[in-house]
Amino acid sequence: MTVTYAASYAAWPPGTDPDLLRRDVARAHEEFLSTGRPPRPVRDVVRDSWQRSLRGGVDPEADGPRSPGLGAAELRDYRRQHPMAAVLPVVRSLLVEPAQDSDQLVAVGDEHARLLWVEGTPGLAARAERIGFVEGAEWAEDAAGTNAPGTAVALGRPLQIYAGEHFIRPVHPWSCSAAPVRDPDTGAVIGVLDLTGGDHIAAPHALALVRATVAAAEAELRLLRLRGVLPAAPAPGTPGALGPPGASGAGARLEVLARDRARLTSPYGTIELSPRHSEIVFLLARHPRGLGADALAARLHEHESARVTMRAEMSRLRRLLGPQVLGSRPYRLLLPAATDADEVRALLARGAHRRALARYPGAMLPGSDAPAIVDAREELDWALRRALRDRGDARLLLDWLDRPGNHDDVELLRAALRALPRESPRGPVLRALLDRARR
């Protein structure tokens, strides 16, 4: 997956030799501890975290976090009432169950990077106990130094930490990919999702997998909130900012799949948006706390000069939607909003692959080349294709391949050939398509 505005948060830039990188970061770590000066080859996100860890008094030789963990009874009670418990089935479905034979651990933490659940390979879990990577342990930066779940929570960003980039030396054999989970209404960080294991966890696909799972978890939270299964969170902005009497608590639905012009349905009516307004409203639906003009422009445009037009664009959109729907300072939707893409993610997370594919008429805002929209489109496409490949259902795979533009999908062509009976009449056609796609 291409990361367009956070490239330094990925551990392996394109063309990286992991073995060479491991040696380089190990030397850099030694130099930093000896001199206190961050070496040049280290990523900015790692350098800054090392400096915070050093200022915070974290011992680089410690066996694990310096803060005591929660006891069994205290942890049980805390987990029961924490909102991350609501998305645990999604995480297990997408990360834990498909990788039961893989050498990795999946950790679900709270907004302070305290680990609430740690699941995965038993042998690896036993090794992780030696560094204190266990349920109830606190892995915030000020307790454990630079690490993916703690640093992701500190920065509010998905990121990877590779080998010697960890501040604590005993953690150097490990690598991890983590991303924060945000409340669907307020946008506040409520938890963190982490994948931990060997060097392979620092590969680009690992962070893509974590980000896709977080997107599915946030979609599930949003749908549970809209259905009243989860209690409502405080609304963003000032009290009473959800519009006129009677509209409070009402939600909106944004349709973005197979459409260049999104359709927004709210208590105030239905409207078809322009391509640019479609991009903006989709991003605001994904960021309930809101985005400023600069943040929106950075997600929509490749060039800094494009930012000067954003405020004028937002004024036009606010006149179109009305002040009861679109707020400012920062720009935000004034009612909870779910998208049809959220619904597909939630169905995938529940294992309802047939329903998910039926709800997926095509790519999200296919005509958009805005960086953040491309990222979101690729995340959803990747999650759907991965689910179809892993499920191995011949009918679902053929449904996907029969859709326009999918005939050259080499990975799913191979999956369909594996799933079909040997005597199936579709076999020769699929093999021909596969041969042509390889040329």
Side-chain angles (χ1 to χ4, degrees):
M1 178 175 298
T2 302
V3 181
T4 54
Y5 55 89
S8 67
Y9 293 82
W12 294 355
T16 296
D17 180 337
D19 292 332
L20 179 61
L21 179 61
R22 172 179 280 276
R23 292 193 293 270
D24 286 346
V25 297
R27 285 195 296 267
H29 186 265
E30 290 295 332
E31 182 180 341
F32 176 76
L33 293 182
S34 300
T35 66
R37 294 190 299 272
R40 184 175 300 238
V42 176
R43 292 183 291 152
D44 290 349
V45 65
V46 174
R47 177 203 63 204
D48 295 344
S49 179
W50 281 358
Q51 291 176 320
R52 289 194 299 270
S53 302
L54 191 64
R55 289 195 302 267
V58 178
D59 180 2
E61 306 299 335
D63 292 331
R66 60 184 177 181
S67 300
L70 297 178
E74 189 178 10
L75 175 62
R76 184 172 57 251
D77 292 341
Y78 182 50
R79 293 195 303 196
R80 187 182 302 118
Q81 54 82 34
H82 198 277
M84 290 300 291
V87 300
L88 193 59
V90 172
V91 175
R92 285 173 172 156
S93 173
L94 293 180
L95 277 187
V96 179
E97 294 167 5
Q100 289 179 347
D101 298 327
S102 300
D103 207 21
Q104 64 188 38
L105 297 176
V106 177
V108 178
D110 69 3
E111 64 272 29
H112 308 295
R114 184 180 297 279
L115 306 184
L116 304 181
W117 293 271
V118 178
E119 302 181 1
T121 311
L124 197 64
R127 284 177 48 207
E129 289 182 15
R130 301 172 198 161
I131 59 169
F133 196 83
V134 296
E135 294 178 347
E138 184 180 342
W139 276 75
E141 272 193 347
D142 58 3
T146 306
N147 69 91
T151 305
V153 166
L155 301 180
R157 292 270 195 153
L159 55 79
Q160 295 176 302
I161 299 296
Y162 177 55
E165 291 180 333
H166 288 93
F167 186 75
I168 295 179
R169 208 186 305 269
V171 190
H172 284 188
W174 300 81
S175 294
C176 42
S177 296
V181 179
R182 296 183 179 275
D183 183 276
D185 288 340
T186 68
V189 173
I190 60 170
V192 63
L193 182 59
D194 171 77
L195 201 58
T196 287
D199 289 0
H200 64 290
I201 301 298
H205 74 270
L207 187 58
L209 177 58
V210 170
R211 291 179 63 191
T213 304
V214 166
E218 291 175 342
E220 178 74 357
L221 283 170
R222 185 177 292 113
L223 291 174
L224 292 173
R225 184 72 51 76
L226 290 172
R227 293 169 181 166
V229 177
L230 288 180
T238 57
L242 291 184
S248 180
R253 184 173 187 268
L254 184 69
E255 297 170 64
V256 293
L257 297 178
R259 305 177 63 93
D260 287 324
R261 300 172 66 92
R263 182 163 56 204
L264 178 67
T265 301
S266 77
Y268 310 102
T270 298
I271 186 170
E272 188 172 79
L273 304 169
S274 70
R276 175 58 78 210
H277 288 167
S278 299
E279 296 167 342
I280 292 171
V281 174
F282 174 77
L283 290 177
L284 294 181
R286 294 198 87 185
H287 296 82
R289 271 184 100 176
L291 294 168
D294 285 352
L296 269 172
R299 288 162 170 80
L300 291 172
H301 304 287
E302 296 287 354
H303 305 294
E304 294 286 326
S305 59
R307 298 187 178 193
V308 298
T309 64
M310 184 53 60
R311 288 181 175 83
E313 194 72 64
M314 294 307 295
S315 295
R316 288 191 288 271
L317 180 59
R318 196 160 189 256
R319 287 195 298 271
L320 179 68
L321 300 182
Q324 73 274 23
V325 174
L326 182 62
S328 59
R329 298 181 184 177
Y331 298 116
R332 65 199 186 280
L333 296 176
L334 296 178
L335 64 171
T339 72
D340 50 355
D342 293 332
E343 295 166 3
V344 172
R345 289 192 191 96
L347 289 168
L348 288 174
R350 295 173 194 157
H353 299 144
R354 192 175 305 279
R355 290 175 60 199
L357 187 57
R359 295 277 190 92
Y360 185 81
M364 174 195 310
L365 300 178
S368 173
D369 60 0
I373 303 299
V374 171
D375 275 358
R377 184 166 61 228
E378 290 178 351
E379 283 177 10
L380 181 58
D381 179 76
W382 182 88
L384 183 58
R385 293 177 64 254
R386 175 180 178 271
L388 295 177
R389 181 201 66 195
D390 292 349
R391 175 73 176 269
D393 184 308
R395 289 178 60 189
L396 294 182
L397 289 163
L398 292 175
D399 184 349
W400 173 265
L401 293 168
D402 286 342
R403 297 186 180 197
N406 291 347
H407 293 92
D408 57 352
D409 190 330
V410 171
E411 185 178 21
L412 294 197
L413 281 167
R414 288 173 174 161
L417 284 169
R418 289 193 299 269
L420 280 173
R422 186 183 299 272
E423 66 279 5
S424 171
R426 291 295 301 269
V429 176
L430 294 182
R431 281 188 284 273
L433 289 172
L434 182 58
D435 288 342
R436 187 171 67 182
R438 285 169 171 166
R439 292 174 191 165

